[in-house]
Each structure stands twice: as C-alpha cells, then as structure tokens.
Amino acid sequence: MKRSRSVISRVLSQPAPLPSLASHLDDVRLFRHAHCRGVLSDDVFPPVLAACRFSPSLSCQVHALMVKTSANLHPVPATALLDAYSRCGLLNNALDVFDGMALRDTVAWNTLISCLVRHGLAADAVSNFRSMAEDGVAFTGFTLCSVLKACASLCAIRLGKQIHAWVIGDGDGSVIMATALIDFYSGCGMIQDAFDVFRGLNCEKDVAIYNSLISACIENRQFKEAFSILRMMKPNEVTLTCALSACSESLNLTYGKEVHCVMIRHGFDSDATLCNAVINLYAKCGEVTSGRSAFELIPRKNVVSWTSIIEAYGSHGHGIEAWKLFRKMVEEESNNVSPNAVTFLSVLSACGHSGLVNEGRECFFAMSNKYGLNPGPEHYACFIYLLGRAGRIEEAWDLYYNLSLDSNKLNSAVSIAMLNACKANMDLVRGEQVAKHLMEQDAENPGSYILLSNFYAAAGKWEKAESLRRLMRERQLKKEVGNSQFDVMCCS
C-alpha cells in the first residue's frame, strides 16, 4: 500500500472528535452475548465493527478477537475492520490492516481509498487508485466518486476529466455519479462544466444534486445562478441553508427575504439551524430588528441562536443590548443553554465596540471562573483592545506581559491589540517591545509592517516608519487590496 508516513503522522496529531456510541450499544451487547456463548463466526464481525467504528478501544478489542479466531484473514471482516479504524481516527491501524490482507477485492480497495480521502491524504488516494488499476482489480462508481473527491482536493483536472470520459463511455448516468462530478468541477473552479454535467443528466434529478449545484454556485460566487436553481425545485433544509448562505455572502437582502418567505411557506420556520442562518443574513445586511424578530420566533433557542443575535447587535454598535441579551441567556433557567467560547468572544467584541469596560471584564473572568472555559488568544485580544480603548494601559500591559511568558497563548492578534492600545495611549516604550514580538510572530504579513509603520508615524518616529515601508518594498510584500460590494436594485 502506497502511503506518505510523514503526512500521515501530521494527520494523526490532530484527531477528529468521535460521534456518540449510544445508538450502537444494542449491536455491541448482542455481540458480547454471542461471544460468551461461543457462537462467533466471520459473519458476526462486520455488524459489530459498524458499531465499533465510533470507539477506538472497542475496535481494538474486536481486532484482537479476530486475530484469535483468524477472522482477520478473511476479506469481508478485514474490510469492515479497516473501515472501523478509519472512521474512529486510527489511520495507521487501518493501513496496517490493509497491508496484512491476503486477498484485496474491490470493496477493500474502495474502503482504503475512501479512508485516505477522509483523512485528507488525497495524493495517496490517487496513487492507490492507480495501484488498484495496475493490479487488475475492477473499480466501481463508488471508487470513482472517492477519487473525484481526491482530484478536487488536488485540483487534478486532467485525471478528473479522464474519469468523466470513462463515465460517459461506460454509460453511467446515475445521479450519484453526476453529483460527484459536479462537486469535482466546482472544487476546481470550473462552474460551467458543473452546469454541463447537470444539464446532460437524463434521469430524474433529486434534491441532492440540486443542492450540490447550488453549493457549487455559492462556492464560485455565482449567486444569481444559485437563486435561479432554487426556483426550479422543492427545497429542503439543506437547500434553504445554502440559499441563505448565498444571500449573506452577496449581501443580497431582497433575495434573502424571498428565501425567508419560502422557508416559512414550506413549514421550516421552527428549524433552529435555518432560523440562525436568517438571523445571520439580516445582521450582515444591517437589518438587526428583523433579525431580532426571527430570533424571538424560534421555539427552542440553542447556543448558536443566542450567539448569533448577540453578534448581530454587537457588530452594529449596540453593545448594551448585546450585553442585556447575554445576561438574559445566562440568567433565565428556562433557557437551559450555556454560553460557549464563541458566545464569549461575541460579547467581548460587543463590549469593545461600545466601551463597556466593566461588563467586558465581568464577561472575561466569568468565562473561566464560572463556566470553566479557557480563554483563547482571540479572547485576550478582544479584552486588551477593550482596555486599551478605555485608557487602562497598565491593566492591558500586565495581561499581555503574563501572556508573553506562554507562547501558546500569545499570537499576532494579541500583539496587534496591544500595539493598538499603546498607540492609543502614546506609550512608545512598551509599543516598541510589542513591535519586536509582532515582527517575530508574523514577519511575512504585510499588514504587520503597515501597522507598525502607522504606530511609529503616530509617535513622530518618521524615519522608523519609512524604514519599515522600504523594507516592505524590498521584500515585495503587498497588502491585499480591500473591496466593497452592494446590490443595485433596478426598478422599471
């Protein structure tokens, strides 16, 4: 099996969170009962491994039993074990299982390729697809769907088009294959090819392929096309979420209101996820009052709902209202919702924009003292920004200095917040210390040079300001050009 161990080690250092095992306990209990009665056979292992794929420890235990009974030598249970290890994050175990298989059929190769794609090893997936073909193992539509995902990740247009040509020659006109091709062309930025696949599909189109095409349009910023597709179908929750995302990205309130109406008409107005997307849409388009109305109509508000409306008020300068909503969230026991790290970041940001120092301090310390959440660099940056704006440079510096002793908590965002605090309070000595930290942390970011140059200019250090600009030109660092967009409504 071809694999890149260095890349695999990097992936293994970032294990994915595991889903709950609760729904599979019955299968595990039945398996244990069969084991105690001594009635195990090869056919018993695949079902229990489907349950164990959410538990690394159980997967290892079943593997040990398979070795004891020699079930691991047979392709069907071995393939189920490979899939279980893949899904619970034990990539090396999965690859070792494949390497130890005496007989590798199409299903085993498919499972391996899918495993590599799932763990972000697209190049290894393509390499093993070629090995599969060289070994004379017949591939299926499932194989090609997995390889197309890898091609999209690698932007391997030539291989993806070769697969498309094979699909046409083989006469595979299934919706599943067409959806995979649309996702591939979309991932490579070839939206017109994605539309050609959609138009060329002769069988009945389902909601999934419409959703895929809408997502493709959104990903490639073809928002009008996304809305035109929406009008051609009966939407579901996924469709409407994609459409609302398109409206938010394009700041198109008119279409957004249309989607909101469609959502209500089809009875999705109590869906928390969709309602949260509506709040986000109205907030981005400046309609905070409409967002609040949508929030109040949610029957079961979750932490995302509360965070969305708090963020909406905070981003539009209504810090006091954002703070009141936060207090209402944590004080009303009937809500049964606890704030998370994103909630606290939204509240701190709202307090920073509105100068609510005492409220911001209460929020910052409650995060760890009351809710047991460790503040991240972004929380420290928000709090330092708040203190700096309020002229409390000593308190901001004490916090920053303590953070500088722990490199895991100090990043460029925190240093930028502290530098802005020094600039606002004309503290040149401390500002130069922060500037040194910032250049060590983010020397290739042109924004850091401009920020430091502006700091020196504000302090009257024109020579240092100019030297930074000159150094930026020598290193050919250019700040990304900003842009704005707005929707033009034409009335006739």
Side-chain angles (χ1 to χ4, degrees):
M1 205 290 298
K2 295 182 180 179
R3 59 178 110 172
S4 173
R5 285 287 182 179
S6 60
V7 178
I8 290 169
S9 299
R10 174 176 55 80
V11 173
L12 290 173
S13 66
Q14 299 175 336
L18 300 177
S20 170
L21 186 63
S23 60
H24 301 276
L25 288 178
D26 289 341
D27 291 333
V28 175
R29 290 192 190 101
L30 285 171
F31 177 79
R32 285 173 174 163
H33 184 68
H35 181 214
C36 291
R37 288 178 172 268
V39 291
L40 289 181
S41 66
D42 290 353
D43 296 336
V44 177
F45 286 102
V48 76
L49 283 167
C52 293
R53 64 187 182 181
F54 301 115
S55 170
S57 59
L58 278 176
S59 296
C60 292
Q61 290 176 41
V62 175
H63 187 186
L65 191 59
M66 289 174 65
V67 172
K68 186 177 179 180
T69 60
S70 299
N72 64 307
L73 301 177
H74 302 140
V76 175
T79 301
L81 179 63
L82 165 60
D83 184 61
Y85 275 140
S86 168
R87 291 180 183 276
C88 66
L90 299 177
L91 178 59
N92 267 344
N93 296 47
L95 301 182
D96 289 339
V97 169
F98 183 83
D99 287 342
M101 293 176 68
L103 178 63
R104 300 164 184 164
D105 58 10
T106 300
V107 179
W109 279 100
N110 286 352
T111 307
L112 171 70
I113 293 169
S114 177
C115 164
L116 293 169
V117 172
R118 180 181 296 115
H119 288 271
L121 302 174
D124 292 281
V126 171
S127 176
N128 280 280
F129 170 65
R130 292 195 170 107
S131 297
M132 176 184 181
E134 290 168 2
D135 288 354
V137 181
F139 52 80
T140 63
F142 183 88
T143 319
L144 298 181
C145 287
S146 296
V147 177
L148 282 170
K149 289 182 182 178
C151 290
S153 299
L154 299 170
C155 206
I157 297 173
R158 183 178 179 183
L159 178 58
K161 286 194 169 186
Q162 288 175 346
I163 292 174
H164 189 182
W166 184 91
V167 169
I168 294 172
D170 189 61
D172 187 348
S174 67
V175 175
I176 295 174
M177 183 58 69
T179 303
L181 286 167
I182 288 172
D183 290 341
F184 159 69
Y185 283 121
S186 169
C188 295
M190 304 169 69
I191 189 64
Q192 290 305 318
D193 294 81
F195 270 105
D196 290 341
V197 172
F198 180 80
R199 295 189 191 101
L201 191 62
N202 293 322
C203 63
E204 184 178 352
K205 302 175 177 67
D206 61 7
V207 175
I209 196 167
Y210 278 107
N211 290 346
S212 179
L213 191 60
I214 289 173
S215 297
C217 291
I218 293 168
E219 186 179 343
N220 291 275
R221 303 191 67 80
Q222 303 290 322
F223 300 114
K224 289 185 179 179
E225 288 80 357
F227 299 133
S228 66
I229 297 166
L230 179 64
R231 296 189 182 99
M232 298 163 55
M233 60 178 294
K234 181 180 179 180
N236 61 9
E237 295 94 326
V238 177
T239 315
L240 293 171
T241 302
C242 289
L244 287 168
S245 173
C247 296
S248 298
E249 289 293 326
S250 60
L251 301 179
N252 196 317
L253 184 59
T254 303
Y255 279 126
K257 287 182 176 181
E258 287 186 22
V259 176
H260 192 185
C261 291
V262 172
M263 174 181 140
I264 295 171
R265 191 183 312 127
H266 288 275
F268 295 119
D269 50 318
S270 60
D271 186 284
T273 302
L274 280 172
C275 290
N276 295 340
V278 169
I279 295 170
N280 182 55
L281 163 73
Y282 284 128
K284 281 193 173 182
C285 296
E287 293 275 347
V288 184
T289 304
S290 299
R292 179 63 177 268
S293 298
F295 170 79
E296 296 295 348
L297 291 173
I298 302 175
R300 294 184 180 179
K301 302 174 180 65
N302 57 27
V303 65
V304 179
S305 310
W306 286 96
T307 304
S308 297
I309 194 62
I310 290 170
E311 168 66 20
Y313 276 104
S315 62
H316 287 85
H318 304 296
I320 294 176
E321 190 60 36
W323 174 254
K324 287 179 179 178
L325 280 165
F326 174 70
R327 297 304 308 169
K328 183 178 181 181
M329 173 187 178
V330 299
E331 289 174 358
E332 290 188 8
E333 295 181 359
S334 59
N335 291 330
N336 197 29
V337 177
S338 295
N340 60 20
V342 181
T343 312
F344 281 104
L345 186 62
S346 297
V347 178
L348 283 169
S349 177
C351 291
H353 289 311
S354 301
L356 304 176
V357 182
N358 294 330
E359 291 83 354
R361 182 186 286 105
E362 180 183 338
C363 170
F364 181 80
F365 290 108
M367 184 176 178
S368 54
N369 296 339
K370 186 175 180 180
Y371 295 95
L373 299 172
N374 293 323
E378 62 278 7
H379 298 94
Y380 284 106
C382 267
F383 190 41
I384 288 173
Y385 170 80
L386 170 62
L387 294 172
R389 278 196 61 183
R392 306 193 181 188
I393 187 67
E394 296 293 337
E395 188 176 350
W397 178 255
D398 288 342
L399 185 61
Y400 179 81
Y401 179 79
N402 290 331
L403 285 175
S404 66
L405 303 177
D406 184 354
S407 58
N408 293 326
K409 293 182 179 179
L410 185 64
N411 65 6
S412 59
V414 181
S415 294
I416 288 171
M418 190 65 230
L419 186 64
N420 282 327
C422 293
K423 178 182 174 183
N425 292 273
M426 296 305 295
D427 192 331
L428 182 61
V429 176
R430 286 171 176 159
E432 290 193 316
Q433 293 183 50
V434 178
K436 181 180 177 182
H437 289 160
L438 184 58
M439 294 307 297
E440 292 172 353
Q441 294 163 339
D442 212 0
E444 298 302 317
N445 183 2
S448 299
Y449 290 82
I450 293 172
L451 186 68
L452 290 174
S453 176
N454 292 340
F455 168 73
Y456 284 125
K461 301 285 185 178
W462 299 106
E463 291 183 3
K464 289 188 175 182
E466 179 54 33
S467 67
L468 279 169
R469 297 276 181 171
R470 186 166 53 251
L471 182 61
M472 185 176 170
R473 288 192 293 270
E474 290 172 358
R475 295 184 177 181
Q476 297 183 338
L477 297 174
K478 293 183 178 180
K479 188 175 184 294
E480 185 177 347
V481 179
N483 63 78
S484 301
Q485 65 179 42
F486 57 91
D487 187 47
V488 178
M489 299 300 299
C490 298
C491 300
S492 57

